[in-house]
Amino acid sequence: MMRIKKEKEKIKGYLKRKEVLAGFLVLFLIFGFYSVKLMNARSYSMNRETVGTYTQEGKLFHSAILRENALYGKTMRSSYYPAPLVEGFILTYAYRFAPMTSVEGTYDITGIVTYAVNRGDKEVVLWKETLFKEKGKLKDGKFTVEYRMNMSTLSNLDKQISDQLGIKRLKRSVTITVNVKTVGNAYGKPVSETFRHTISLMKDSSAGLYYFDSPEKIAKKTVTTTSTRKNSVKMLGIQADVETARTVVPLLALIFLIPLVGGAYTLKSTMPHDDFRRIRPYIVEGVPRKADRRIVISSRADLEKTFELIDKPILHYTDGEEEVYAIIDGSVAYEYREPSGSKTEENS
């Protein structure tokens, strides 16, 4: 029991040392700072990595069959075709999904001729005719469709529709629409895609040319993988993950705070009580001049009250075996006396 008491006293004495308390204070501030900093730190980071890219590509290959002429021959492959010479078009539409492995799907391709008139700035559709329509399944992620468009037949259809509607100036447009749906896997990831491609046969009447608008379309998508990793932080030369540090560091700050508070309390409790604490700055050493009248003050509390009322310095001196505290107000001296042995240790 005595041994435990001695150990407690030893610890108390150790905690009273100012350099020890200063050390605990520094450690508490360091770990407190890191605790606040770690509050906004992210425990995990997301890492996104590209593993590959897959594409869907659709393209219309076209060439014209020409009327007899001395310039181009029987066929012509170009971006623009002289309309008066064109007898028809040979069209080949090709689609492919790359990479083609582990992908299957369906397609449909439709060619439609539309007749319309302009009403102000709006187009009014009067008739639609399906030129061709084909459906099927992808093979190895691709398909090819061929169609021969006879422009002479189309011109006859123009005249027939115009006569039946009784409208001479009809606006004709030919549109090829492709729809593809694919499902499967690409780079180990499931894919489900829809591909839509619209191509129009245009006629520039002022230039007398045929051309195909948007004959090619490519759609690309990137396959990514996402992984998570623990974030780490380095403190005082020690590396630790954020999640662990967020738990340990505040605990360490608390551990260093406890002896700091205990030491401060112990230090305060062992300090001698100073009844003159409030008026200590106003006490000066010196012997007062002779006073005509002396009034004896019975306690330190009364001395403090007298000082507050008169608001003049308190003179301190030794008279024999007594400590004297005097306040001089004109010819009157207010004195408080106490034996020298009862004087409290104080910082003058």
Side-chain angles (χ1 to χ4, degrees):
M1 196 71 180
M2 287 294 293
R3 185 177 178 183
I4 295 173
K5 190 173 181 181
K6 284 182 180 180
E7 288 295 328
K8 285 184 178 180
E9 292 297 325
K10 187 177 179 181
I11 293 172
K12 271 190 176 182
Y14 184 74
L15 291 176
K16 288 180 187 177
R17 296 172 62 179
K18 291 182 179 180
E19 62 271 22
V20 174
L21 292 179
F24 282 128
L25 177 60
V26 169
L27 290 171
F28 168 71
L29 291 175
I30 290 173
F31 287 103
F33 167 77
Y34 279 118
S35 297
V36 174
K37 192 174 180 181
L38 286 167
M39 288 175 64
N40 296 322
R42 296 174 62 183
S43 300
Y44 295 90
S45 290
M46 302 291 290
N47 183 33
R48 183 169 291 176
E49 183 180 356
T50 300
V51 295
T53 301
Y54 61 85
T55 61
Q56 295 183 88
E57 181 179 1
K59 186 173 182 179
L60 179 69
F61 299 91
H62 49 82
S63 61
I65 301 172
L66 305 179
R67 294 185 177 93
E68 189 173 335
N69 66 91
L71 296 174
Y72 302 107
K74 293 183 179 181
T75 61
M76 177 183 182
R77 182 184 293 275
S78 177
S79 298
Y80 298 93
Y81 302 95
L85 297 181
V86 176
E87 183 73 25
F89 286 102
I90 299 173
L91 306 177
T92 303
Y93 187 87
Y95 166 91
R96 66 170 185 165
F97 187 105
M100 295 177 288
T101 56
S102 303
V103 174
E104 57 185 27
T106 59
Y107 70 88
D108 67 77
I109 179 169
T110 306
I112 294 176
V113 58
T114 303
Y115 295 92
V117 293
N118 288 332
R119 181 177 178 272
D121 58 348
K122 293 183 179 179
E123 184 179 85
V124 179
V125 175
L126 299 177
W127 181 258
K128 284 186 177 182
E129 182 85 14
T130 300
L131 298 177
F132 67 93
K133 185 177 181 67
E134 188 168 339
K135 295 182 179 181
K137 291 184 178 182
L138 300 183
K139 185 177 181 181
D140 296 328
K142 58 185 177 180
F143 75 89
T144 302
V145 171
E146 293 184 358
Y147 175 70
R148 185 181 290 254
M149 184 185 297
N150 191 315
M151 299 305 291
S152 297
T153 303
L154 203 56
S155 295
N156 292 333
L157 182 61
D158 293 352
K159 186 177 183 306
Q160 182 183 353
I161 297 296
S162 178
D163 291 342
Q164 290 190 22
L165 293 175
I167 300 174
K168 298 300 180 184
R169 293 187 176 181
L170 282 174
K171 182 181 177 182
R172 182 189 71 190
S173 61
V174 176
T175 304
I176 300 170
T177 303
V178 182
N179 291 292
V180 184
K181 293 183 179 180
T182 55
V183 292
N185 287 277
Y187 303 99
K189 293 283 185 177
V191 295
S192 178
E193 296 291 345
T194 299
F195 181 84
R196 182 178 177 84
H197 187 188
T198 301
I199 308 160
S200 299
L201 173 62
M202 312 294 291
K203 182 179 181 181
D204 188 334
S205 299
S206 60
L209 295 174
Y210 280 127
Y211 64 94
F212 290 91
D213 184 46
S214 304
E216 184 176 6
K217 181 178 180 180
I218 298 176
K220 291 184 178 182
K221 281 202 175 179
T222 302
V223 179
T224 60
T225 57
T226 303
S227 60
T228 59
R229 65 176 180 82
K230 285 186 175 182
N231 290 334
S232 62
V233 63
K234 193 172 185 179
M235 299 173 296
L236 304 178
I238 300 173
Q239 193 88 12
D241 62 81
V242 172
E243 194 171 5
T244 302
R246 191 177 284 149
T247 303
V248 174
V249 172
L251 184 61
L252 289 173
L254 180 62
I255 289 173
F256 290 118
L257 178 62
I258 292 172
L260 179 62
V261 173
Y265 177 78
T266 302
L267 190 63
K268 184 179 178 181
S269 64
T270 56
M271 290 178 64
H273 179 69
D274 185 5
D275 290 336
F276 289 161
R277 183 179 70 258
R278 291 180 59 189
I279 60 175
R280 177 68 59 194
Y282 309 102
I283 298 176
V284 296
E285 297 295 328
V287 180
R289 59 179 174 76
K290 296 288 184 178
D292 296 336
R293 184 182 174 194
R294 296 183 183 276
I295 296 176
V296 177
I297 298 172
S298 60
S299 67
R300 292 185 175 189
D302 289 340
L303 176 64
E304 186 174 329
K305 291 177 182 178
T306 304
F307 167 75
E308 290 175 352
L309 292 171
I310 297 176
D311 194 21
K312 289 189 177 181
I314 302 171
L315 298 176
H316 171 254
Y317 63 96
T318 303
D319 184 12
E321 298 295 325
E322 291 182 319
E323 299 288 335
V324 183
Y325 297 88
I327 301 174
I328 307 301
D329 184 21
S331 60
V332 180
Y334 298 88
E335 291 185 349
Y336 168 70
R337 292 172 176 264
E338 63 180 18
S340 297
S342 65
K343 180 183 176 182
T344 306
E345 292 182 8
E346 52 200 6
N347 297 322
S348 299

